[in-house]
RNA sequence: GCUGCUGUAGCUCAGUGGUAGAGCACUCCCUUGGUAAGGGAGAGGUCGGUGGUUCAAUCCCACUCAGCAGCACCA
């Protein structure tokens, strides 16, 4: 028998017979470690304790104190335990897959009857029983044919399909949790009792397509969250409650920003407060674009299908377009139109007016373009995913050799704006050529290289999204992370060689000949609607002063101060500060509470003392303490605060 | 679009086969109160829509619309 040498994290080495399992190694170190061990990391790979070690290796024995592998194993085993529980309760349910995800796991089941919330309680109880049984976990490698036959015999068609899709050189591993068997590549805990019985919770049931394919069977997916102990679980559930409190749909109502209604699904009725945020942001973006060398245009909403046919949208995007057919009697001529889902074809029309010279390039054409897309009903989500929205869109018409410089410029432009808006950190995803694409490989090489090197030159790392590019070119996506860790794609930059070709855009180069420009599609905010949703949620409604729709409320403490309050409001408004008056017959407690709930950043309260001193009592949102300022002082302070970051 | 759930007053939610209720918000009155809800009175609803069952439907059934969660799709 071979001897092998294992190196431990502390540098110690021990010799063992080849083929020894990690469990045996752990027990050899100490009996208690043998019991506490949950898995082993062998040569950097995570394995369960039954893993036989054939050659010299580095090894670390993991226990529940090693949070990362422990969570992975606990969640993974819970997926199996849940599947077993479901099959013990309803033996005819078919099992499929159940991976670990953020904070927990899910498992997809095929069952005719829907799982009810009561069912979740039953399953949870059964899972706890299984955990308390402390059933051992064991594994075997099976021959492919045997595994397929097994699942044919037990009536598990999804498992058969899974095995058939496992590459031929990969072993087929079977695991048993007690008597219950599942196909799995592991690793797993030693026995079910190692799962903390009070650290998990089944959250909800939802539909999910088999293999993520909407043409395949729809299964029922049960989601669970799991942690190493009760306290961590509780902290997670509390975090979810906090997240729900900052939901932009809830805050939008509380702050009276907007509403939506049945007659216009996926479209927003902006109220005065919300529209103030929108226009303030738009004014800011317009100033930035002017500084950034953009020209602003505006193009039609309703456009003849002929243009969409030429651009390729009619072919590739029709499902998502609002088609407008006008009754012939009412129409000057019979025509089928569509509301524009994107601005690019219209921008090419503007570009195409008159001859363009190479001296005109790069031409940066911006539009706050209102677009309508017929999004699937299930995709709609508050103001974040809507059917009518406005992009801060622009198209940069340039030569191929300008792509890199323009990309670099854009990334700088965007990062400045994100910083102004309070997002110091963002990540970049780079999506390269998809399988189905237009344009030659040569052109793709060129544009991918240009995007990549420009991003690197700007000093940013990016994550590769292989095959996720648009059919017409590669793209960069700029992703913001909000205050509770959720990612949102906002900005984008896409290289496009195809549309200029389809819509016959050209310029006259130095050689006197016609050449095709390249188009860079780009947006910073993405859409105002989504971006405002992100701003609301990440700030929990406490927008920076310059963006707050109601910046100041001047509240009278006694009615004898009413006149003075009006004077304060007038002084603030004269300086462009958005100030409102609250002279209602209510106590100051009541007014403070109401405006605090309404997320007004500054409340200025005035009673007789302030009238006499010509001062105000200042209360800032989120602070318990108040301070006193003279009228002149507070007006100049707030005037400065009300300025946008680019106007300081 | 698919699966499941939900739809009652402006908001949050009770409730019943015999055409409805609370709290907050709103209006009016009292109260002039010093930093997160002062007191009283009043008004407010074809119970998402359409059709069906029934002597009678907000409640039961069918269809439909919208919302929510997830999937698929995406700014």
């Amino acid at each position: 028998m071979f001897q092998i040498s294992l190196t431990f994290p502390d540098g110690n080495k021990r010799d063992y017979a080849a083929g020894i399992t990690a469990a045996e190694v752990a027990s050899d170190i100490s009996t208690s470690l043998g019991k506490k061990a949950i898995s082993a990391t062998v040569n950097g790979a995570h394995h369960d304790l039954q893993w036989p070690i054939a050659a010299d290796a580095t090894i670390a024995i993991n226990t529940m104190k090693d949070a990362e592998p422990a969570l992975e194993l606990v969640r993974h085993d819970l997926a199996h335990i849940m599947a077993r529980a479901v099959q013990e309760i309803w033996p005819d349910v078919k099992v499929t897959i159940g991976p670990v995800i953020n904070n927990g796991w899910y498992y997809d089941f095929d069952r005719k009857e829907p799982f009810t919330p009561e069912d979740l309680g039953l399953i949870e109880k059964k899972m706890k029983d299984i955990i308390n049984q402390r059933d051992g976990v064991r594994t075997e490698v099976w021959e492919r044919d045997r595994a397929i036959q097994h699942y044919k015999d037990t009536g598990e068609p999804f498992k058969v399909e899974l095995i058939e899709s496992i590459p031929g050189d990969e072993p087929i591993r079977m695991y048993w949790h007690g008597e219950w068997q599942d196909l799995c590549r592991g690793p797993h805990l030693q026995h079910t009792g190692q799962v903390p019985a009070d650290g998990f919770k089944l959250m909800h049931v939802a539909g999910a397509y088999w293999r993520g394919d909407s043409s395949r069977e729809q299964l029922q997916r049960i989601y669970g969250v799991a942690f190493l102990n009760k306290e961590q679980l509780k902290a997670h559930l509390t975090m979810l409650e906090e997240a729900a409190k900052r939901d932009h749909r809830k805050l939008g109502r509380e702050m009276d920003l907007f509403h939506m209604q049945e007659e216009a699904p996926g479209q927003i009725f902006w109220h005065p407060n919300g529209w103030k945020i929108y226009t303030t942001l738009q004014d800011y973006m317009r100033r930035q674009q002017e500084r950034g060398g953009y020209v602003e245009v505006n193009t039609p909403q309703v456009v003849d299908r002929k243009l969409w046919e030429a651009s390729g949208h009619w072919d590739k995007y029709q499902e998502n377009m609002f088609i407008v057919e006008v009754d012939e009697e009412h129409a000057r001529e019979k025509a089928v139109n569509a509301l524009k889902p994107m601005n690019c074809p219209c921008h090419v029309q503007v570009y195409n007016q008159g001859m363009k010279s190479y001296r005109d390039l790069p031409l940066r054409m911006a539009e706050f373009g209102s677009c309508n897309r017929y999004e699937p009903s299930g995709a709609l989500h508050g103001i974040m995913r809507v059917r009518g929205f406005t992009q801060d869109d622009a198209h940069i018409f340039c030569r191929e050799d300008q792509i890199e410089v323009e990309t670099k410029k854009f990334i700088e432009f965007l990062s400045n704006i994100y910083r102004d808006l309070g997002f110091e950190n963002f990540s970049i995803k780079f999506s390269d050529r998809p399988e189905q694409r237009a344009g030659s490989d040569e052109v793709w090489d060129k544009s991918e290289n240009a995007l990549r090197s420009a991003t690197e030159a700007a000093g940013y790392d990016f994550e590769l999204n292989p095959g996720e590019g648009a059919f017409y070119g590669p793209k960069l996506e700029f992703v913001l992370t909000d205050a509770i860790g959720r990612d949102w794609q906002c900005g984008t930059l896409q290289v496009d060689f195809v549309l200029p070709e389809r819509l016959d855009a050209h310029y006259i180069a130095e050689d006197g000949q016609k050449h095709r420009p390249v188009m860079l599609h780009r947006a910073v905010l993405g859409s105002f609607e989504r971006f405002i949703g992100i701003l609301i949620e990440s700030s929990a409604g406490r927008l920076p002063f310059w963006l707050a729709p109601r910046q100041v409320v001047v509240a009278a403490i006694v009615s004898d101060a009413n006149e003075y309050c009006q004077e304060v409001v007038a002084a603030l408004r004269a300086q462009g500060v958005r100030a409102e008056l609250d002279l209602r017959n209510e106590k100051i407690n009541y007014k403070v509470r109401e405006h605090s709930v309404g997320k007004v950043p500054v409340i200025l309260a005035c009673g007789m003392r302030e009238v006499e001193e010509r001062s105000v009592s200042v209360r800032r949102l989120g602070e318990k303490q108040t301070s006193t300022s003279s009228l002149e002082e507070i007006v100049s302070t707030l005037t400065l605060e009300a300025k946008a970051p680019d106007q300081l």
Side-chain angles (χ1 to χ4, degrees):
Chain A
M1 178 75 73
F2 271 119
Q3 285 292 110
I4 58 168
S5 170
L6 298 182
T7 309
F8 293 88
D10 60 4
N12 279 338
K13 288 175 196 267
R14 289 195 193 205
D15 291 341
Y16 291 103
I20 191 170
T21 65
E24 289 161 343
V25 174
S27 296
D28 181 58
I29 294 170
S30 77
T31 318
S32 69
L33 183 62
K35 280 186 191 161
K36 281 194 292 188
I38 53 171
S39 67
T41 304
V42 181
N43 289 334
H46 195 198
H47 294 294
D48 50 39
L49 291 167
Q50 296 181 52
W51 194 261
I53 304 163
D56 291 357
T58 60
I59 182 168
I61 304 292
N62 301 315
T63 69
M64 287 307 244
K65 292 211 168 107
D66 301 293
E68 204 176 307
L71 276 172
E72 171 80 23
L73 289 167
V74 163
R75 289 167 182 165
H76 192 173
D77 278 275
L78 277 164
H80 289 270
I81 291 169
M82 181 171 77
R84 171 176 160 189
V86 166
Q87 284 201 317
E88 285 185 5
I89 303 172
W90 300 280
D92 56 329
V93 172
K94 307 291 176 222
V95 289
T96 66
I97 53 162
V100 171
I101 52 171
N102 268 350
N103 303 319
W105 80 92
Y106 67 76
Y107 205 109
D108 288 347
F109 298 98
D110 183 34
R111 179 190 184 217
K112 273 212 184 69
E113 304 73 29
F115 290 111
T116 64
E118 294 73 50
D119 290 343
L120 291 191
L122 281 178
I123 297 167
E124 212 168 281
K125 189 167 174 301
K126 177 68 88 174
M127 289 170 71
K128 289 186 176 169
D129 292 345
I130 294 170
I131 290 168
N132 288 332
Q133 286 171 30
R134 304 173 67 83
D135 284 329
V137 179
R138 67 186 176 85
T139 179
E140 282 176 15
V141 175
W142 278 19
E143 290 296 321
R144 176 171 302 252
D145 292 346
R146 180 183 173 202
I148 291 176
Q149 195 54 52
H150 168 78
Y151 279 125
K152 280 186 176 161
D153 293 345
T154 52
E156 297 284 2
F158 298 97
K159 292 288 184 188
V160 172
E161 192 180 330
L162 275 180
I163 296 170
E164 282 167 348
S165 69
I166 295 176
D169 52 346
E170 263 183 51
I172 310 291
R173 294 194 86 85
M174 289 295 179
Y175 274 84
W176 285 262
H177 282 68
E179 293 306 304
W180 191 80
Q181 177 182 358
D182 202 359
L183 170 75
C184 186
R185 67 168 81 80
H188 284 288
L189 294 164
Q190 294 201 67
H191 58 85
T192 59
Q194 287 183 314
V195 173
D198 56 359
F200 76 94
K201 181 171 165 40
L202 302 189
M203 301 300 282
H204 51 260
V205 188
Y209 298 108
W210 171 235
R211 311 208 120 181
D213 182 342
S214 56
S215 66
R216 299 292 308 267
E217 296 89 335
Q218 188 157 37
L219 309 167
Q220 295 187 65
R221 175 172 296 177
I222 302 179
Y223 285 87
V225 293
F227 296 88
L228 296 180
N229 54 53
K230 199 175 172 178
E231 289 67 40
Q232 286 176 20
L233 173 67
K234 207 178 155 204
H236 176 74
L237 297 176
T238 307
M239 194 275 288
L240 290 180
E241 283 170 26
E242 289 305 309
K245 283 184 197 159
R246 23 173 102 212
D247 190 308
H248 74 281
R249 292 166 297 191
K250 183 174 151 68
L251 287 168
R253 197 165 41 237
E254 289 171 1
M255 296 169 70
D256 195 15
L257 302 178
F258 57 83
H259 84 272
M260 303 175 91
Q261 63 187 50
E262 252 185 61
E263 289 80 356
Q267 291 172 95
I268 305 169
F269 293 78
W270 285 103
H271 297 190
N273 286 342
W275 192 242
K276 185 49 81 179
I277 302 174
Y278 189 110
T279 53
T280 304
L281 191 59
Q282 193 174 58
D283 291 345
Y284 164 82
M285 286 306 293
R286 181 169 278 132
R287 291 192 301 271
Q288 292 292 4
Q289 285 176 356
E290 276 168 15
R291 281 188 201 113
Y294 290 81
V295 290
E296 187 177 328
V297 300
N298 195 266
T299 61
Q301 295 299 310
V302 182
V303 178
D304 195 290
R305 69 181 273 179
K306 287 196 283 272
L307 182 64
W308 304 116
E309 281 167 355
S311 69
H313 287 84
W314 198 259
D315 219 27
K316 297 221 187 284
Y317 206 72
Q318 199 181 146
E319 290 286 287
N320 285 289
M321 302 209 295
F322 280 97
I323 309 294
V324 183
E325 284 185 68
V326 183
D327 204 326
E328 199 168 359
E329 275 180 49
H330 298 225
R332 264 178 283 184
E333 61 180 291
K334 177 89 171 157
V336 177
N337 299 290
L339 297 184
K340 71 173 169 187
M342 298 180 193
N343 306 300
C344 25
C346 289
H347 285 190
V348 179
Q349 306 314 302
V350 176
Y351 177 91
N352 281 353
Q353 294 297 305
M355 292 297 275
K356 293 290 179 297
S357 148
Y358 70 95
R359 296 174 199 277
D360 296 321
L361 306 184
L363 175 57
R364 306 186 192 92
M365 189 183 291
E367 175 172 4
F368 296 122
S370 289
C371 296
N372 289 275
R373 296 183 187 170
Y374 191 80
E375 296 288 350
S377 57
L380 304 179
H381 178 83
I383 65 173
M384 310 279 251
R385 188 78 187 270
V386 289
R387 288 182 177 157
F389 59 97
T390 301
Q391 297 176 309
D392 65 317
D393 198 12
H395 296 92
I396 302 173
F397 295 86
C398 64
R399 301 188 313 251
E400 274 177 43
D401 62 302
Q402 291 171 324
I403 295 174
E404 193 170 328
V405 176
E406 286 302 311
T407 300
K408 189 159 174 283
K409 262 194 171 163
F410 174 67
I411 295 174
E412 281 160 10
F413 181 75
L414 168 140
S415 59
N416 272 328
I417 291 169
Y418 282 3
R419 196 174 313 116
D420 276 356
L421 295 170
F423 298 96
E424 294 289 336
N425 297 310
F426 59 90
S427 61
I428 302 180
K429 286 186 188 159
F430 176 66
S431 303
D432 63 8
R433 65 193 76 187
E435 300 225 341
Q436 294 216 326
R437 58 179 181 265
S440 69
D441 285 353
E442 207 186 356
V443 167
W444 275 90
D445 286 342
K446 257 193 295 196
S447 32
E448 285 173 2
N449 287 335
L451 272 191
R452 189 179 295 116
S453 55
T455 309
E456 284 164 359
Y460 288 96
D461 291 331
F462 55 82
E463 185 189 320
L464 191 64
N465 244 352
E468 293 291 309
F471 74 93
Y472 49 74
K475 63 180 176 184
L476 296 177
E477 288 174 358
F478 300 88
V479 180
L480 288 178
T481 304
D482 72 14
I484 45 178
R486 288 172 304 186
D487 286 346
W488 294 97
Q489 196 224 301
C490 299
T492 181
L493 182 128
Q494 303 171 15
V495 182
D496 183 0
F497 288 90
V498 174
L499 201 60
E501 179 80 37
R502 296 195 70 127
L503 297 179
D504 194 26
H506 53 77
Y507 65 92
I508 308 298
E510 288 153 288
D511 60 8
Q513 302 297 306
K514 283 185 180 177
H515 290 259
R516 287 265 175 254
V518 181
M519 274 174 90
L520 304 180
H521 306 244
R522 44 109 293 173
V524 177
L525 306 181
S527 85
F528 283 92
E529 290 76 3
R530 172 175 292 183
F531 201 88
I532 290 170
I534 295 168
L535 279 173
I536 292 167
E537 297 202 349
S538 62
S539 66
R542 299 177 176 197
L543 294 164
F545 195 80
W546 70 281
L547 277 172
R550 299 193 298 151
Q551 296 174 317
V552 181
V553 168
V554 180
I557 297 171
V558 292
S559 51
D560 283 344
N562 286 0
E563 205 175 315
Y564 177 65
C565 287
Q566 283 170 332
E567 189 187 336
V568 174
V569 165
L572 288 164
R573 285 188 180 165
Q575 297 303 314
V577 177
R578 295 187 282 275
E580 286 178 17
L581 196 57
D582 186 353
L583 304 181
R584 288 174 305 167
N585 177 20
E586 297 292 350
K587 292 198 173 181
I588 192 64
N589 291 311
Y590 184 92
K591 295 183 185 181
V592 165
R593 178 186 150 78
E594 188 175 276
H595 300 307
S596 299
V597 168
K599 306 285 190 286
V600 176
V602 173
I603 299 169
L604 301 181
C606 302
M608 289 322 288
R609 198 156 68 224
E610 286 74 17
V611 172
E612 280 152 27
E613 292 174 353
R614 293 192 61 76
S615 66
V616 292
S617 166
V618 185
R619 185 186 167 110
R620 290 188 181 260
L621 184 59
E623 289 175 13
K624 284 250 152 60
Q625 282 213 312
T626 60
S627 64
T628 304
S629 283
S630 73
L631 179 54
E632 292 73 42
E633 206 179 341
I634 197 67
V635 169
S636 74
T637 305
L638 295 179
T639 303
L640 192 64
E641 281 185 47
K643 291 202 184 305
D646 67 309
Q647 293 180 316
L648 289 170

